[in-house]
Amino acid sequence: MQHIDDLLVLEQTEGMAFVSDNLWGTPVTPSAFGGQLVALSLAAAFKTVPENYLARSLHAQFIDSVDKTKPAIFKVNDQAPGSRVTSRMVQCFQEQRLAMQTVCSFVARKPRTAQQADYRYQKGMPDVALPGSTSDCPFVLDPQGYPKAFPAMIWVTELDRDHATPAPPRQQMWLECPDKQQRSEQAKQCIVAMYSDVHFTRVIVRPYGIRIAPPPRHLRKIVSIDHHMWFHQEADPNNPILVDTWCSQLSSGRGVVQSEMFAHDRRLVATIMQEGRVEIDPSAQLPSPKL
């Protein structure tokens, strides 16, 4: 079983270049998990900014697949130096091939003075129960998570086998880091970034009753093209985080997915958007999409 911190280890090679030789991916694919690549890009960028800087957004483009059995190198470039706000471009290479690039934006934390107003509001969290909070709670542990595979407690209302039945393109799940270790705010953001890609693109094909683990023969490809994330407030993955995900449209082989992450105390902590590429065998006899 992988430890979450092991998936974020980076060794400096030279200057602002870092290497990871511990990539993880699901058993059904030779590629590294996109969420880990996003988190490693953020972790590499964090190594080049002061400890009082936190991420406010990241914008990743997946250019080519990354083999989970080979090392990946993350090269960081200083894009916009500043005293309070700065950004980094992180390029991921494997065998001298550019596979991914990510722009990470940071803001320095400063104590708020009494003269500074703090106007705020947010969208309300969906009215769903915490896992185990009630006897009729619909969330169950997903076997694709801890302790069998990925280092996260994943509570879902449907297991992957249930996706063989068409349903609207929406899912809700709770995620929680299983080890309960204390970490820096930067490390917490890296873990939240990794978790932001869990079970993300599968919602695109949910209306057709297509499961992806393992995928049927007529599902030729479902991959992420890009991944965008905005950090609104601090989040601690040691406590359950609700992930509310839906797909707004699928056309021309591309689906747009949006997700919102809520802390257990109902704060909206992050917004994520992703575009996924889908290839389905045109000879497949699919039902009308259930929306």
Side-chain angles (χ1 to χ4, degrees):
M1 175 63 197
Q2 290 275 11
H3 192 281
I4 190 72
D5 293 326
D6 294 338
L7 298 182
L8 292 170
V9 171
L10 288 166
E11 297 293 335
Q12 187 172 11
T13 57
E14 57 178 352
M16 293 200 297
F18 308 88
V19 62
S20 169
D21 58 5
N22 185 26
L23 300 180
W24 180 88
T26 63
V28 299
T29 175
S31 300
F33 171 48
Q36 183 190 9
L37 298 176
V38 169
L40 283 168
S41 297
L42 181 58
F46 268 136
K47 289 182 177 294
T48 69
V49 300
E51 292 182 355
N52 67 320
Y53 277 71
L54 291 180
R56 61 176 185 173
S57 69
L58 62 83
H59 306 274
Q61 291 181 315
F62 298 102
I63 299 170
D64 205 346
S65 61
V66 175
D67 190 327
K68 64 185 179 184
T69 66
K70 300 176 181 179
I73 296 175
F74 297 82
K75 296 183 178 180
V76 184
N77 296 296
D78 190 345
Q79 292 292 300
S83 60
R84 176 161 166 73
V85 177
T86 187
S87 64
R88 299 289 188 270
M89 166 72 81
V90 184
Q91 294 180 307
C92 173
F93 292 87
Q94 192 169 67
E95 298 181 329
Q96 300 183 334
R97 172 178 50 85
L98 179 61
M100 175 184 175
Q101 57 187 14
T102 306
V103 175
C104 303
S105 297
F106 303 97
V107 61
R109 288 186 295 177
K110 290 186 178 181
R112 184 168 58 89
T113 66
Q115 289 75 28
Q116 290 177 312
D118 185 23
Y119 301 106
R120 63 172 60 198
Y121 63 87
Q122 69 161 63
K123 175 182 178 180
M125 189 182 89
D127 189 17
V128 297
L130 276 166
S133 60
T134 62
S135 59
D136 58 348
C137 179
F139 290 92
V140 297
L141 273 176
D142 190 337
Q144 296 185 62
Y146 178 87
K148 296 182 179 179
F150 185 67
M153 304 288 283
I154 307 172
W155 286 275
V156 295
T157 56
E158 297 177 312
L159 299 177
D160 190 75
R161 63 173 179 264
D162 300 320
H163 283 225
T165 302
R170 186 176 184 181
Q171 65 180 9
Q172 293 175 331
M173 60 183 172
W174 290 93
L175 294 170
E176 183 179 357
C177 190
D179 60 32
K180 303 296 185 181
Q181 292 189 14
Q182 297 299 312
R183 298 177 173 87
S184 68
E185 292 301 327
Q186 291 183 346
K188 291 176 184 178
Q189 284 194 320
C190 289
I191 294 175
V192 172
M194 190 184 304
Y195 286 177
S196 72
D197 196 33
V198 171
H199 293 337
F200 207 36
T201 54
R202 74 177 185 177
V203 72
I204 298 175
V205 293
R206 187 71 180 88
Y208 293 105
I210 298 177
R211 58 183 300 186
I212 63 172
R217 290 184 178 181
H218 57 266
L219 180 60
R220 294 177 175 175
K221 181 177 293 186
I222 180 166
V223 296
S224 302
I225 300 175
D226 50 29
H227 190 90
H228 307 274
M229 185 170 187
W230 293 265
F231 299 88
H232 307 311
Q233 301 184 61
E234 294 179 3
D236 186 356
N238 284 342
N239 297 311
I241 295 176
L242 176 68
V243 187
D244 187 16
T245 306
W246 64 93
C247 180
S248 56
Q249 73 93 38
L250 169 64
S251 63
S252 302
R254 299 192 307 275
V256 176
V257 185
Q258 183 170 339
S259 182
E260 294 171 337
M261 303 179 82
F262 294 86
H264 71 291
D265 57 6
R266 310 188 72 85
R267 290 178 299 113
L268 176 62
V269 296
T271 299
I272 307 98
M273 292 194 72
Q274 189 176 103
E275 186 176 33
R277 179 184 173 194
V278 179
E279 290 185 11
I280 300 174
D281 188 335
S283 65
Q285 300 296 315
L286 297 181
S288 299
K290 184 177 178 61
L291 302 175

